[in-house]
Amino acid sequence: IDENTIMELSKDINRLETITERFSKIGSIPKLENENVIEVLNQTLEYLKVRISKNIEVELKSESANLLAKLNPSLFSWVLENLIKNAVDAMKGDGKITVTVTDQSQFVYIDIADTGTGIPRSKHKTIFEPGYTTKQRGWGLGLSLVKRIIENYHSGKIFVKQSDAMGTTFRIV
């Protein structure tokens, strides 16, 4: 068996353990510790890159390689995974996702931008409500969980920073 296949299967097994851990944390107060945001972003993006369309370019931009913030890596990774998968869907498997990290001393800004079809301004607030979906399948819980994880568990903010026919940018503070 190809060594890369074994390595990716091992990552999938670890991911299943992480998913189990995430569900066990829903409804409880997660432990937040100083974690390297860039490292968590890199790990999540590397995992996703081989599992999404090869026609999607994923880029991480940061002036710092070591940026600490209080977070729960498992839940924060879930947020990123959900936003990236939604971006992939919005781009129909072809385009670019850019994750930009800015350190503003008191706050860390993480912008996740895609080159998808955009979100109408009238939907910018309702997309975070449970049940909102544009997909044929699904319960529309992804972005409501994202908002809950960022705002209730991490005391942060998430919102649509910009959206038009050229793409959408979500901002996490």
Side-chain angles (χ1 to χ4, degrees), residues 83-84 86-88 90-91 96-99 110-121 123-124 127-128 143 158-171:
L83 292 170
I84 299 291
N86 283 352
V88 169
M91 295 184 296
K96 182 175 182 178
I97 298 171
T98 306
V99 179
I110 302 168
D111 292 339
I112 299 148
D114 66 53
T115 57
T117 54
I119 302 166
R121 181 172 285 290
K123 303 288 186 201
H124 286 194
I127 59 171
F128 293 106
L143 287 177
I158 182 165
F159 54 91
V160 177
K161 179 182 175 192
Q162 174 276 327
S163 189
D164 57 30
M166 304 301 288
T168 298
T169 302
F170 281 89
R171 172 163 277 184

PDB file of all heavy atoms in Angstrom, residues 83-84 86-88 90-91 96-99 110-121 123-124 127-128 143 158-171:
ATOM      1  N   LEU A  83     -16.310  26.758   7.344  1.00  0.00           N
ATOM      2  CA  LEU A  83     -16.209  27.926   6.462  1.00  0.00           C
ATOM      3  C   LEU A  83     -15.538  27.565   5.136  1.00  0.00           C
ATOM      4  O   LEU A  83     -15.971  28.019   4.068  1.00  0.00           O
ATOM      5  CB  LEU A  83     -15.458  29.056   7.162  1.00  0.00           C
ATOM      6  CG  LEU A  83     -16.179  29.705   8.349  1.00  0.00           C
ATOM      7  CD1 LEU A  83     -15.250  30.641   9.098  1.00  0.00           C
ATOM      8  CD2 LEU A  83     -17.446  30.420   7.901  1.00  0.00           C
ATOM      9  N   ILE A  84     -14.502  26.743   5.187  1.00  0.00           N
ATOM     10  CA  ILE A  84     -13.791  26.339   3.966  1.00  0.00           C
ATOM     11  C   ILE A  84     -14.690  25.485   3.083  1.00  0.00           C
ATOM     12  O   ILE A  84     -14.763  25.689   1.865  1.00  0.00           O
ATOM     13  CB  ILE A  84     -12.484  25.567   4.312  1.00  0.00           C
ATOM     14  CG1 ILE A  84     -11.523  26.437   5.119  1.00  0.00           C
ATOM     15  CG2 ILE A  84     -11.838  24.999   3.054  1.00  0.00           C
ATOM     16  CD1 ILE A  84     -10.884  27.586   4.403  1.00  0.00           C
ATOM     17  N   ASN A  86     -17.949  25.478   2.979  1.00  0.00           N
ATOM     18  CA  ASN A  86     -18.961  26.352   2.390  1.00  0.00           C
ATOM     19  C   ASN A  86     -18.377  27.151   1.226  1.00  0.00           C
ATOM     20  O   ASN A  86     -19.039  27.350   0.205  1.00  0.00           O
ATOM     21  CB  ASN A  86     -19.538  27.298   3.442  1.00  0.00           C
ATOM     22  CG  ASN A  86     -20.528  26.615   4.364  1.00  0.00           C
ATOM     23  OD1 ASN A  86     -20.916  25.467   4.148  1.00  0.00           O
ATOM     24  ND2 ASN A  86     -20.929  27.319   5.401  1.00  0.00           N
ATOM     25  N   ALA A  87     -17.133  27.608   1.384  1.00  0.00           N
ATOM     26  CA  ALA A  87     -16.471  28.363   0.311  1.00  0.00           C
ATOM     27  C   ALA A  87     -16.290  27.483  -0.924  1.00  0.00           C
ATOM     28  O   ALA A  87     -16.520  27.918  -2.050  1.00  0.00           O
ATOM     29  CB  ALA A  87     -15.122  28.900   0.790  1.00  0.00           C
ATOM     30  N   VAL A  88     -15.885  26.236  -0.705  1.00  0.00           N
ATOM     31  CA  VAL A  88     -15.710  25.291  -1.820  1.00  0.00           C
ATOM     32  C   VAL A  88     -17.034  25.124  -2.562  1.00  0.00           C
ATOM     33  O   VAL A  88     -17.077  25.150  -3.796  1.00  0.00           O
ATOM     34  CB  VAL A  88     -15.172  23.932  -1.311  1.00  0.00           C
ATOM     35  CG1 VAL A  88     -15.235  22.872  -2.398  1.00  0.00           C
ATOM     36  CG2 VAL A  88     -13.746  24.080  -0.796  1.00  0.00           C
ATOM     37  N   ALA A  90     -19.531  27.263  -2.649  1.00  0.00           N
ATOM     38  CA  ALA A  90     -19.873  28.531  -3.309  1.00  0.00           C
ATOM     39  C   ALA A  90     -19.090  28.722  -4.607  1.00  0.00           C
ATOM     40  O   ALA A  90     -19.557  29.397  -5.521  1.00  0.00           O
ATOM     41  CB  ALA A  90     -19.616  29.704  -2.365  1.00  0.00           C
ATOM     42  N   MET A  91     -17.898  28.112  -4.682  1.00  0.00           N
ATOM     43  CA  MET A  91     -17.057  28.246  -5.878  1.00  0.00           C
ATOM     44  C   MET A  91     -17.271  27.096  -6.851  1.00  0.00           C
ATOM     45  O   MET A  91     -16.617  27.034  -7.889  1.00  0.00           O
ATOM     46  CB  MET A  91     -15.577  28.319  -5.469  1.00  0.00           C
ATOM     47  CG  MET A  91     -15.256  29.551  -4.658  1.00  0.00           C
ATOM     48  SD  MET A  91     -13.502  29.703  -4.268  1.00  0.00           S
ATOM     49  CE  MET A  91     -13.219  28.287  -3.238  1.00  0.00           C
ATOM     50  N   LYS A  96     -10.329  30.215  -5.532  1.00  0.00           N
ATOM     51  CA  LYS A  96      -9.251  30.448  -4.578  1.00  0.00           C
ATOM     52  C   LYS A  96      -9.826  30.833  -3.221  1.00  0.00           C
ATOM     53  O   LYS A  96     -10.774  31.615  -3.132  1.00  0.00           O
ATOM     54  CB  LYS A  96      -8.332  31.569  -5.078  1.00  0.00           C
ATOM     55  CG  LYS A  96      -7.149  31.831  -4.159  1.00  0.00           C
ATOM     56  CD  LYS A  96      -6.190  32.853  -4.743  1.00  0.00           C
ATOM     57  CE  LYS A  96      -5.004  33.037  -3.797  1.00  0.00           C
ATOM     58  NZ  LYS A  96      -4.026  33.971  -4.307  1.00  0.00           N
ATOM     59  N   ILE A  97      -9.207  30.279  -2.180  1.00  0.00           N
ATOM     60  CA  ILE A  97      -9.546  30.627  -0.804  1.00  0.00           C
ATOM     61  C   ILE A  97      -8.286  31.234  -0.187  1.00  0.00           C
ATOM     62  O   ILE A  97      -7.216  30.631  -0.250  1.00  0.00           O
ATOM     63  CB  ILE A  97      -9.988  29.395   0.007  1.00  0.00           C
ATOM     64  CG1 ILE A  97     -11.258  28.790  -0.599  1.00  0.00           C
ATOM     65  CG2 ILE A  97     -10.198  29.768   1.483  1.00  0.00           C
ATOM     66  CD1 ILE A  97     -11.650  27.455  -0.019  1.00  0.00           C
ATOM     67  N   THR A  98      -8.433  32.424   0.380  1.00  0.00           N
ATOM     68  CA  THR A  98      -7.311  33.087   1.026  1.00  0.00           C
ATOM     69  C   THR A  98      -7.662  33.333   2.487  1.00  0.00           C
ATOM     70  O   THR A  98      -8.690  33.942   2.789  1.00  0.00           O
ATOM     71  CB  THR A  98      -6.995  34.439   0.341  1.00  0.00           C
ATOM     72  OG1 THR A  98      -6.804  34.215  -1.059  1.00  0.00           O
ATOM     73  CG2 THR A  98      -5.752  35.077   0.932  1.00  0.00           C
ATOM     74  N   VAL A  99      -6.808  32.830   3.370  1.00  0.00           N
ATOM     75  CA  VAL A  99      -6.978  33.043   4.808  1.00  0.00           C
ATOM     76  C   VAL A  99      -5.893  34.032   5.227  1.00  0.00           C
ATOM     77  O   VAL A  99      -4.708  33.745   5.083  1.00  0.00           O
ATOM     78  CB  VAL A  99      -6.858  31.726   5.593  1.00  0.00           C
ATOM     79  CG1 VAL A  99      -7.026  31.979   7.084  1.00  0.00           C
ATOM     80  CG2 VAL A  99      -7.869  30.695   5.092  1.00  0.00           C
ATOM     81  N   ILE A 110      -9.022  37.174  11.557  1.00  0.00           N
ATOM     82  CA  ILE A 110      -8.836  36.102  10.588  1.00  0.00           C
ATOM     83  C   ILE A 110      -9.891  36.289   9.514  1.00  0.00           C
ATOM     84  O   ILE A 110     -11.097  36.188   9.783  1.00  0.00           O
ATOM     85  CB  ILE A 110      -8.973  34.708  11.243  1.00  0.00           C
ATOM     86  CG1 ILE A 110      -7.957  34.568  12.368  1.00  0.00           C
ATOM     87  CG2 ILE A 110      -8.802  33.606  10.198  1.00  0.00           C
ATOM     88  CD1 ILE A 110      -8.185  33.378  13.265  1.00  0.00           C
ATOM     89  N   ASP A 111      -9.444  36.614   8.308  1.00  0.00           N
ATOM     90  CA  ASP A 111     -10.341  36.794   7.169  1.00  0.00           C
ATOM     91  C   ASP A 111     -10.249  35.575   6.269  1.00  0.00           C
ATOM     92  O   ASP A 111      -9.155  35.171   5.871  1.00  0.00           O
ATOM     93  CB  ASP A 111      -9.971  38.055   6.380  1.00  0.00           C
ATOM     94  CG  ASP A 111     -10.248  39.331   7.157  1.00  0.00           C
ATOM     95  OD1 ASP A 111     -11.060  39.298   8.102  1.00  0.00           O
ATOM     96  OD2 ASP A 111      -9.652  40.366   6.811  1.00  0.00           O
ATOM     97  N   ILE A 112     -11.408  34.993   5.955  1.00  0.00           N
ATOM     98  CA  ILE A 112     -11.473  33.839   5.064  1.00  0.00           C
ATOM     99  C   ILE A 112     -12.238  34.289   3.834  1.00  0.00           C
ATOM    100  O   ILE A 112     -13.453  34.530   3.892  1.00  0.00           O
ATOM    101  CB  ILE A 112     -12.156  32.647   5.762  1.00  0.00           C
ATOM    102  CG1 ILE A 112     -11.320  32.259   6.985  1.00  0.00           C
ATOM    103  CG2 ILE A 112     -12.301  31.466   4.809  1.00  0.00           C
ATOM    104  CD1 ILE A 112     -12.091  31.719   8.119  1.00  0.00           C
ATOM    105  N   ALA A 113     -11.498  34.454   2.732  1.00  0.00           N
ATOM    106  CA  ALA A 113     -12.072  34.994   1.502  1.00  0.00           C
ATOM    107  C   ALA A 113     -12.114  33.920   0.432  1.00  0.00           C
ATOM    108  O   ALA A 113     -11.187  33.127   0.292  1.00  0.00           O
ATOM    109  CB  ALA A 113     -11.241  36.182   1.014  1.00  0.00           C
ATOM    110  N   ASP A 114     -13.208  33.916  -0.337  1.00  0.00           N
ATOM    111  CA  ASP A 114     -13.317  32.985  -1.460  1.00  0.00           C
ATOM    112  C   ASP A 114     -13.682  33.740  -2.728  1.00  0.00           C
ATOM    113  O   ASP A 114     -14.016  34.922  -2.674  1.00  0.00           O
ATOM    114  CB  ASP A 114     -14.341  31.875  -1.165  1.00  0.00           C
ATOM    115  CG  ASP A 114     -15.777  32.378  -1.046  1.00  0.00           C
ATOM    116  OD1 ASP A 114     -16.257  33.077  -1.965  1.00  0.00           O
ATOM    117  OD2 ASP A 114     -16.436  32.071  -0.040  1.00  0.00           O
ATOM    118  N   THR A 115     -13.592  33.071  -3.850  1.00  0.00           N
ATOM    119  CA  THR A 115     -13.950  33.671  -5.138  1.00  0.00           C
ATOM    120  C   THR A 115     -15.268  33.084  -5.633  1.00  0.00           C
ATOM    121  O   THR A 115     -15.462  32.878  -6.825  1.00  0.00           O
ATOM    122  CB  THR A 115     -12.828  33.456  -6.174  1.00  0.00           C
ATOM    123  OG1 THR A 115     -12.578  32.039  -6.290  1.00  0.00           O
ATOM    124  CG2 THR A 115     -11.560  34.172  -5.782  1.00  0.00           C
ATOM    125  N   GLY A 116     -16.170  32.833  -4.699  1.00  0.00           N
ATOM    126  CA  GLY A 116     -17.470  32.242  -5.031  1.00  0.00           C
ATOM    127  C   GLY A 116     -18.475  33.269  -5.523  1.00  0.00           C
ATOM    128  O   GLY A 116     -18.128  34.398  -5.883  1.00  0.00           O
ATOM    129  N   THR A 117     -19.748  32.862  -5.494  1.00  0.00           N
ATOM    130  CA  THR A 117     -20.825  33.650  -6.080  1.00  0.00           C
ATOM    131  C   THR A 117     -21.342  34.770  -5.192  1.00  0.00           C
ATOM    132  O   THR A 117     -22.106  35.609  -5.636  1.00  0.00           O
ATOM    133  CB  THR A 117     -22.006  32.729  -6.434  1.00  0.00           C
ATOM    134  OG1 THR A 117     -22.372  31.997  -5.256  1.00  0.00           O
ATOM    135  CG2 THR A 117     -21.626  31.761  -7.538  1.00  0.00           C
ATOM    136  N   GLY A 118     -20.934  34.789  -3.924  1.00  0.00           N
ATOM    137  CA  GLY A 118     -21.348  35.865  -3.026  1.00  0.00           C
ATOM    138  C   GLY A 118     -22.656  35.564  -2.306  1.00  0.00           C
ATOM    139  O   GLY A 118     -23.377  34.634  -2.651  1.00  0.00           O
ATOM    140  N   ILE A 119     -22.922  36.371  -1.299  1.00  0.00           N
ATOM    141  CA  ILE A 119     -24.122  36.248  -0.475  1.00  0.00           C
ATOM    142  C   ILE A 119     -24.863  37.579  -0.550  1.00  0.00           C
ATOM    143  O   ILE A 119     -24.263  38.623  -0.296  1.00  0.00           O
ATOM    144  CB  ILE A 119     -23.750  35.958   0.999  1.00  0.00           C
ATOM    145  CG1 ILE A 119     -22.919  34.673   1.106  1.00  0.00           C
ATOM    146  CG2 ILE A 119     -24.994  35.877   1.875  1.00  0.00           C
ATOM    147  CD1 ILE A 119     -22.237  34.495   2.451  1.00  0.00           C
ATOM    148  N   PRO A 120     -26.149  37.557  -0.882  1.00  0.00           N
ATOM    149  CA  PRO A 120     -26.898  38.820  -0.926  1.00  0.00           C
ATOM    150  C   PRO A 120     -26.853  39.522   0.439  1.00  0.00           C
ATOM    151  O   PRO A 120     -26.914  38.873   1.481  1.00  0.00           O
ATOM    152  CB  PRO A 120     -28.332  38.383  -1.249  1.00  0.00           C
ATOM    153  CG  PRO A 120     -28.210  37.011  -1.827  1.00  0.00           C
ATOM    154  CD  PRO A 120     -26.976  36.404  -1.225  1.00  0.00           C
ATOM    155  N   ARG A 121     -26.739  40.839   0.419  1.00  0.00           N
ATOM    156  CA  ARG A 121     -26.645  41.624   1.655  1.00  0.00           C
ATOM    157  C   ARG A 121     -27.810  41.314   2.605  1.00  0.00           C
ATOM    158  O   ARG A 121     -27.638  41.252   3.823  1.00  0.00           O
ATOM    159  CB  ARG A 121     -26.620  43.124   1.330  1.00  0.00           C
ATOM    160  CG  ARG A 121     -26.498  43.990   2.580  1.00  0.00           C
ATOM    161  CD  ARG A 121     -26.281  45.452   2.283  1.00  0.00           C
ATOM    162  NE  ARG A 121     -24.944  45.789   1.845  1.00  0.00           N
ATOM    163  CZ  ARG A 121     -23.848  45.773   2.607  1.00  0.00           C
ATOM    164  NH1 ARG A 121     -23.940  45.376   3.843  1.00  0.00           N
ATOM    165  NH2 ARG A 121     -22.688  46.124   2.136  1.00  0.00           N
ATOM    166  N   LYS A 123     -29.088  38.653   3.323  1.00  0.00           N
ATOM    167  CA  LYS A 123     -28.897  37.358   3.992  1.00  0.00           C
ATOM    168  C   LYS A 123     -27.708  37.351   4.960  1.00  0.00           C
ATOM    169  O   LYS A 123     -27.463  36.348   5.619  1.00  0.00           O
ATOM    170  CB  LYS A 123     -28.680  36.248   2.954  1.00  0.00           C
ATOM    171  CG  LYS A 123     -29.781  36.104   1.944  1.00  0.00           C
ATOM    172  CD  LYS A 123     -31.013  35.522   2.571  1.00  0.00           C
ATOM    173  CE  LYS A 123     -32.053  35.244   1.503  1.00  0.00           C
ATOM    174  NZ  LYS A 123     -33.388  35.145   2.019  1.00  0.00           N
ATOM    175  N   HIS A 124     -26.936  38.428   5.043  1.00  0.00           N
ATOM    176  CA  HIS A 124     -25.721  38.459   5.861  1.00  0.00           C
ATOM    177  C   HIS A 124     -25.965  38.085   7.319  1.00  0.00           C
ATOM    178  O   HIS A 124     -25.104  37.475   7.948  1.00  0.00           O
ATOM    179  CB  HIS A 124     -25.035  39.820   5.781  1.00  0.00           C
ATOM    180  CG  HIS A 124     -24.338  40.042   4.471  1.00  0.00           C
ATOM    181  ND1 HIS A 124     -23.427  41.052   4.288  1.00  0.00           N
ATOM    182  CD2 HIS A 124     -24.413  39.398   3.282  1.00  0.00           C
ATOM    183  CE1 HIS A 124     -22.979  41.023   3.042  1.00  0.00           C
ATOM    184  NE2 HIS A 124     -23.573  40.023   2.420  1.00  0.00           N
ATOM    185  N   ILE A 127     -27.860  34.075   7.582  1.00  0.00           N
ATOM    186  CA  ILE A 127     -27.087  32.871   7.280  1.00  0.00           C
ATOM    187  C   ILE A 127     -26.594  32.181   8.551  1.00  0.00           C
ATOM    188  O   ILE A 127     -26.299  30.990   8.524  1.00  0.00           O
ATOM    189  CB  ILE A 127     -25.880  33.136   6.340  1.00  0.00           C
ATOM    190  CG1 ILE A 127     -24.921  34.147   6.969  1.00  0.00           C
ATOM    191  CG2 ILE A 127     -26.350  33.558   4.966  1.00  0.00           C
ATOM    192  CD1 ILE A 127     -23.610  34.296   6.225  1.00  0.00           C
ATOM    193  N   PHE A 128     -26.538  32.899   9.656  1.00  0.00           N
ATOM    194  CA  PHE A 128     -26.072  32.324  10.919  1.00  0.00           C
ATOM    195  C   PHE A 128     -27.208  31.710  11.744  1.00  0.00           C
ATOM    196  O   PHE A 128     -26.972  31.177  12.819  1.00  0.00           O
ATOM    197  CB  PHE A 128     -25.338  33.381  11.759  1.00  0.00           C
ATOM    198  CG  PHE A 128     -24.041  33.828  11.144  1.00  0.00           C
ATOM    199  CD1 PHE A 128     -23.942  35.074  10.540  1.00  0.00           C
ATOM    200  CD2 PHE A 128     -22.932  33.000  11.157  1.00  0.00           C
ATOM    201  CE1 PHE A 128     -22.736  35.484   9.978  1.00  0.00           C
ATOM    202  CE2 PHE A 128     -21.724  33.404  10.593  1.00  0.00           C
ATOM    203  CZ  PHE A 128     -21.631  34.653  10.001  1.00  0.00           C
ATOM    204  N   LEU A 143     -23.300  27.108   9.922  1.00  0.00           N
ATOM    205  CA  LEU A 143     -22.926  28.474  10.296  1.00  0.00           C
ATOM    206  C   LEU A 143     -23.481  28.882  11.656  1.00  0.00           C
ATOM    207  O   LEU A 143     -22.878  29.694  12.353  1.00  0.00           O
ATOM    208  CB  LEU A 143     -23.350  29.469   9.215  1.00  0.00           C
ATOM    209  CG  LEU A 143     -22.518  29.425   7.932  1.00  0.00           C
ATOM    210  CD1 LEU A 143     -23.073  30.395   6.896  1.00  0.00           C
ATOM    211  CD2 LEU A 143     -21.051  29.719   8.206  1.00  0.00           C
ATOM    212  N   ILE A 158     -17.951  36.853  14.663  1.00  0.00           N
ATOM    213  CA  ILE A 158     -17.840  36.412  13.272  1.00  0.00           C
ATOM    214  C   ILE A 158     -18.945  37.111  12.489  1.00  0.00           C
ATOM    215  O   ILE A 158     -20.069  37.255  12.988  1.00  0.00           O
ATOM    216  CB  ILE A 158     -17.926  34.883  13.105  1.00  0.00           C
ATOM    217  CG1 ILE A 158     -17.744  34.508  11.625  1.00  0.00           C
ATOM    218  CG2 ILE A 158     -19.220  34.323  13.685  1.00  0.00           C
ATOM    219  CD1 ILE A 158     -17.458  33.058  11.351  1.00  0.00           C
ATOM    220  N   PHE A 159     -18.593  37.579  11.295  1.00  0.00           N
ATOM    221  CA  PHE A 159     -19.573  38.262  10.458  1.00  0.00           C
ATOM    222  C   PHE A 159     -19.097  38.245   9.007  1.00  0.00           C
ATOM    223  O   PHE A 159     -17.946  37.908   8.714  1.00  0.00           O
ATOM    224  CB  PHE A 159     -19.795  39.704  10.941  1.00  0.00           C
ATOM    225  CG  PHE A 159     -18.539  40.520  11.061  1.00  0.00           C
ATOM    226  CD1 PHE A 159     -18.066  41.281   9.988  1.00  0.00           C
ATOM    227  CD2 PHE A 159     -17.818  40.541  12.249  1.00  0.00           C
ATOM    228  CE1 PHE A 159     -16.903  42.030  10.104  1.00  0.00           C
ATOM    229  CE2 PHE A 159     -16.655  41.292  12.374  1.00  0.00           C
ATOM    230  CZ  PHE A 159     -16.204  42.030  11.303  1.00  0.00           C
ATOM    231  N   VAL A 160     -20.005  38.600   8.116  1.00  0.00           N
ATOM    232  CA  VAL A 160     -19.652  38.743   6.708  1.00  0.00           C
ATOM    233  C   VAL A 160     -19.028  40.122   6.562  1.00  0.00           C
ATOM    234  O   VAL A 160     -19.696  41.139   6.728  1.00  0.00           O
ATOM    235  CB  VAL A 160     -20.886  38.603   5.786  1.00  0.00           C
ATOM    236  CG1 VAL A 160     -20.496  38.819   4.326  1.00  0.00           C
ATOM    237  CG2 VAL A 160     -21.554  37.251   5.975  1.00  0.00           C
ATOM    238  N   LYS A 161     -17.743  40.145   6.266  1.00  0.00           N
ATOM    239  CA  LYS A 161     -17.028  41.415   6.113  1.00  0.00           C
ATOM    240  C   LYS A 161     -17.369  42.058   4.778  1.00  0.00           C
ATOM    241  O   LYS A 161     -17.557  43.266   4.675  1.00  0.00           O
ATOM    242  CB  LYS A 161     -15.519  41.180   6.221  1.00  0.00           C
ATOM    243  CG  LYS A 161     -14.685  42.422   6.047  1.00  0.00           C
ATOM    244  CD  LYS A 161     -13.210  42.106   6.108  1.00  0.00           C
ATOM    245  CE  LYS A 161     -12.402  43.363   5.809  1.00  0.00           C
ATOM    246  NZ  LYS A 161     -10.998  43.043   5.586  1.00  0.00           N
ATOM    247  N   GLN A 162     -17.448  41.219   3.745  1.00  0.00           N
ATOM    248  CA  GLN A 162     -17.689  41.710   2.392  1.00  0.00           C
ATOM    249  C   GLN A 162     -18.240  40.569   1.553  1.00  0.00           C
ATOM    250  O   GLN A 162     -17.853  39.420   1.736  1.00  0.00           O
ATOM    251  CB  GLN A 162     -16.361  42.224   1.814  1.00  0.00           C
ATOM    252  CG  GLN A 162     -16.372  42.655   0.379  1.00  0.00           C
ATOM    253  CD  GLN A 162     -16.190  41.490  -0.593  1.00  0.00           C
ATOM    254  OE1 GLN A 162     -15.511  40.531  -0.300  1.00  0.00           O
ATOM    255  NE2 GLN A 162     -16.816  41.585  -1.744  1.00  0.00           N
ATOM    256  N   SER A 163     -19.150  40.877   0.651  1.00  0.00           N
ATOM    257  CA  SER A 163     -19.645  39.867  -0.272  1.00  0.00           C
ATOM    258  C   SER A 163     -20.230  40.537  -1.511  1.00  0.00           C
ATOM    259  O   SER A 163     -20.981  41.506  -1.406  1.00  0.00           O
ATOM    260  CB  SER A 163     -20.708  38.992   0.397  1.00  0.00           C
ATOM    261  OG  SER A 163     -21.020  37.902  -0.431  1.00  0.00           O
ATOM    262  N   ASP A 164     -19.839  40.017  -2.665  1.00  0.00           N
ATOM    263  CA  ASP A 164     -20.388  40.473  -3.939  1.00  0.00           C
ATOM    264  C   ASP A 164     -20.220  39.338  -4.947  1.00  0.00           C
ATOM    265  O   ASP A 164     -19.858  38.224  -4.567  1.00  0.00           O
ATOM    266  CB  ASP A 164     -19.713  41.768  -4.409  1.00  0.00           C
ATOM    267  CG  ASP A 164     -18.201  41.647  -4.547  1.00  0.00           C
ATOM    268  OD1 ASP A 164     -17.695  40.543  -4.847  1.00  0.00           O
ATOM    269  OD2 ASP A 164     -17.509  42.663  -4.361  1.00  0.00           O
ATOM    270  N   ALA A 165     -20.449  39.618  -6.197  1.00  0.00           N
ATOM    271  CA  ALA A 165     -20.376  38.582  -7.231  1.00  0.00           C
ATOM    272  C   ALA A 165     -18.962  38.032  -7.421  1.00  0.00           C
ATOM    273  O   ALA A 165     -18.778  36.993  -8.069  1.00  0.00           O
ATOM    274  CB  ALA A 165     -20.903  39.133  -8.551  1.00  0.00           C
ATOM    275  N   MET A 166     -17.967  38.707  -6.848  1.00  0.00           N
ATOM    276  CA  MET A 166     -16.572  38.258  -6.965  1.00  0.00           C
ATOM    277  C   MET A 166     -16.144  37.358  -5.809  1.00  0.00           C
ATOM    278  O   MET A 166     -15.049  36.831  -5.798  1.00  0.00           O
ATOM    279  CB  MET A 166     -15.625  39.464  -7.048  1.00  0.00           C
ATOM    280  CG  MET A 166     -15.955  40.425  -8.169  1.00  0.00           C
ATOM    281  SD  MET A 166     -15.903  39.655  -9.791  1.00  0.00           S
ATOM    282  CE  MET A 166     -14.153  39.449  -9.973  1.00  0.00           C
ATOM    283  N   GLY A 167     -16.999  37.229  -4.774  1.00  0.00           N
ATOM    284  CA  GLY A 167     -16.673  36.370  -3.653  1.00  0.00           C
ATOM    285  C   GLY A 167     -17.127  36.930  -2.324  1.00  0.00           C
ATOM    286  O   GLY A 167     -17.749  37.983  -2.248  1.00  0.00           O
ATOM    287  N   THR A 168     -16.798  36.171  -1.271  1.00  0.00           N
ATOM    288  CA  THR A 168     -17.221  36.519   0.084  1.00  0.00           C
ATOM    289  C   THR A 168     -16.033  36.453   1.026  1.00  0.00           C
ATOM    290  O   THR A 168     -15.173  35.592   0.873  1.00  0.00           O
ATOM    291  CB  THR A 168     -18.313  35.530   0.565  1.00  0.00           C
ATOM    292  OG1 THR A 168     -19.443  35.654  -0.298  1.00  0.00           O
ATOM    293  CG2 THR A 168     -18.739  35.820   1.999  1.00  0.00           C
ATOM    294  N   THR A 169     -16.023  37.357   2.008  1.00  0.00           N
ATOM    295  CA  THR A 169     -15.018  37.316   3.068  1.00  0.00           C
ATOM    296  C   THR A 169     -15.733  37.296   4.409  1.00  0.00           C
ATOM    297  O   THR A 169     -16.534  38.186   4.710  1.00  0.00           O
ATOM    298  CB  THR A 169     -14.087  38.555   3.017  1.00  0.00           C
ATOM    299  OG1 THR A 169     -13.453  38.604   1.744  1.00  0.00           O
ATOM    300  CG2 THR A 169     -13.035  38.490   4.114  1.00  0.00           C
ATOM    301  N   PHE A 170     -15.445  36.245   5.194  1.00  0.00           N
ATOM    302  CA  PHE A 170     -15.896  36.168   6.569  1.00  0.00           C
ATOM    303  C   PHE A 170     -14.776  36.676   7.450  1.00  0.00           C
ATOM    304  O   PHE A 170     -13.607  36.380   7.182  1.00  0.00           O
ATOM    305  CB  PHE A 170     -16.228  34.720   6.971  1.00  0.00           C
ATOM    306  CG  PHE A 170     -17.566  34.244   6.470  1.00  0.00           C
ATOM    307  CD1 PHE A 170     -17.662  33.643   5.231  1.00  0.00           C
ATOM    308  CD2 PHE A 170     -18.705  34.387   7.240  1.00  0.00           C
ATOM    309  CE1 PHE A 170     -18.874  33.196   4.766  1.00  0.00           C
ATOM    310  CE2 PHE A 170     -19.933  33.939   6.777  1.00  0.00           C
ATOM    311  CZ  PHE A 170     -20.032  33.340   5.542  1.00  0.00           C
ATOM    312  N   ARG A 171     -15.119  37.390   8.510  1.00  0.00           N
ATOM    313  CA  ARG A 171     -14.108  37.855   9.457  1.00  0.00           C
ATOM    314  C   ARG A 171     -14.396  37.250  10.833  1.00  0.00           C
ATOM    315  O   ARG A 171     -15.510  37.324  11.332  1.00  0.00           O
ATOM    316  CB  ARG A 171     -14.069  39.367   9.570  1.00  0.00           C
ATOM    317  CG  ARG A 171     -13.137  39.822  10.709  1.00  0.00           C
ATOM    318  CD  ARG A 171     -12.741  41.263  10.633  1.00  0.00           C
ATOM    319  NE  ARG A 171     -11.615  41.404   9.712  1.00  0.00           N
ATOM    320  CZ  ARG A 171     -10.979  42.551   9.478  1.00  0.00           C
ATOM    321  NH1 ARG A 171     -11.372  43.651  10.072  1.00  0.00           N
ATOM    322  NH2 ARG A 171      -9.962  42.587   8.639  1.00  0.00           N
TER     323      ARG A 171
END
